[in-house]
Amino acid sequence: VWIMNEKIIEFNTKKQIKILFLGGIVIVFCLFILYNMIFVAPKIKIFYVIGMLLISSTATYYLILALKSIFSKDKRGLILNSNGIYFKGTSNGSKIGQINWTDIKSLQTGKIYGSNFVTLKLFNAEKYIQNLDIDLKSKEYIINNGVVITNDELSINFEEMKILITKYYNESKG
């Protein structure tokens, strides 16, 4: 029987505050443009007004999520133990819950838009995505490509995260 100590990687509050700050800048910028479109511009173009309202509304939504995350008492972002891995860095990751090591087919790494990630390819992804409120295309992506784990909001760099995940995964295989 394999027993390994539980490893908890917490969220990095500094990274979350940076995201919050950038979100605030986007909202202020959008509201400034909206003000100019409605009150200063000689002719109102409704298409652009609606676009700016959508962007600022979306940014506000994510700003509220970031605030909730910063003030949350549970700061655990990534949990590794002898049973599996639990990534809380995304809403999908939180809803999926713990993924058992025995359900992971392979680990892969990648990089997109400057963000590194580890992908957990699963034997039976359907088991984990049934609780997700996402569209069919997103579910198919997870089934075909796996679950993505990033260190973007965690208090660990990518290399350390990759080494830890790989170590726990390899140890589980015996």
Side-chain angles (χ1 to χ4, degrees):
V1 176
W2 172 67
I3 297 178
M4 193 161 207
N5 292 334
E6 185 171 77
K7 179 72 175 173
I8 297 172
I9 311 299
E10 293 189 348
F11 287 114
N12 185 333
T13 308
K14 289 179 183 176
K15 288 182 181 178
Q16 290 176 323
I17 289 172
K18 285 179 187 176
I19 292 169
L20 187 68
F21 182 72
L22 290 173
I25 289 173
V26 169
I27 291 170
V28 168
F29 179 73
C30 288
L31 292 176
F32 175 76
I33 290 175
L34 266 172
Y35 173 81
N36 282 318
M37 279 195 244
I38 295 171
F39 298 111
V40 177
K43 191 164 122 179
I44 297 175
K45 295 186 178 180
I46 195 74
F47 175 76
Y48 296 117
V49 170
I50 292 171
M52 282 296 132
L53 282 172
L54 284 172
I55 292 170
S56 59
S57 298
T58 303
T60 302
Y61 171 75
Y62 283 107
L63 195 71
I64 291 168
L65 286 180
L67 278 170
K68 282 175 64 176
S69 176
I70 287 172
F71 293 110
S72 170
K73 291 180 179 156
D74 185 8
K75 298 290 185 192
R76 300 175 304 163
L78 179 64
I79 303 165
L80 303 161
N81 59 39
S82 57
N83 298 322
I85 181 171
Y86 185 6
F87 178 59
K88 297 173 151 191
T90 63
S91 60
N92 285 345
S94 294
K95 289 176 186 169
I96 287 173
Q98 179 171 288
I99 298 173
N100 296 325
W101 295 119
T102 54
D103 292 336
I104 300 173
K105 188 186 316 181
S106 65
L107 302 176
Q108 296 176 331
T109 59
K111 185 174 186 172
I112 189 165
Y113 301 117
S115 190
N116 292 304
F117 57 88
V118 174
T119 302
L120 312 175
K121 299 278 277 181
L122 305 175
F123 286 113
N124 184 10
E126 292 86 357
K127 171 182 168 183
Y128 291 98
I129 64 171
Q130 61 191 0
N131 296 331
L132 298 181
D133 299 326
I134 56 176
D135 59 38
L136 185 60
K137 189 175 181 180
S138 298
K139 285 183 179 182
E140 287 175 359
Y141 179 85
I142 293 172
I143 290 168
N144 296 327
N145 300 300
V147 176
V148 174
I149 312 285
T150 68
N151 70 312
D152 290 346
E153 293 185 35
L154 300 175
S155 59
I156 190 172
N157 70 41
F158 176 73
E159 284 302 315
E160 291 172 313
M161 183 187 80
K162 181 179 81 171
I163 289 167
L164 270 174
I165 293 172
T166 303
K167 177 182 173 188
Y168 274 78
Y169 174 72
N170 289 336
E171 287 285 328
S172 74
K173 298 298 176 202

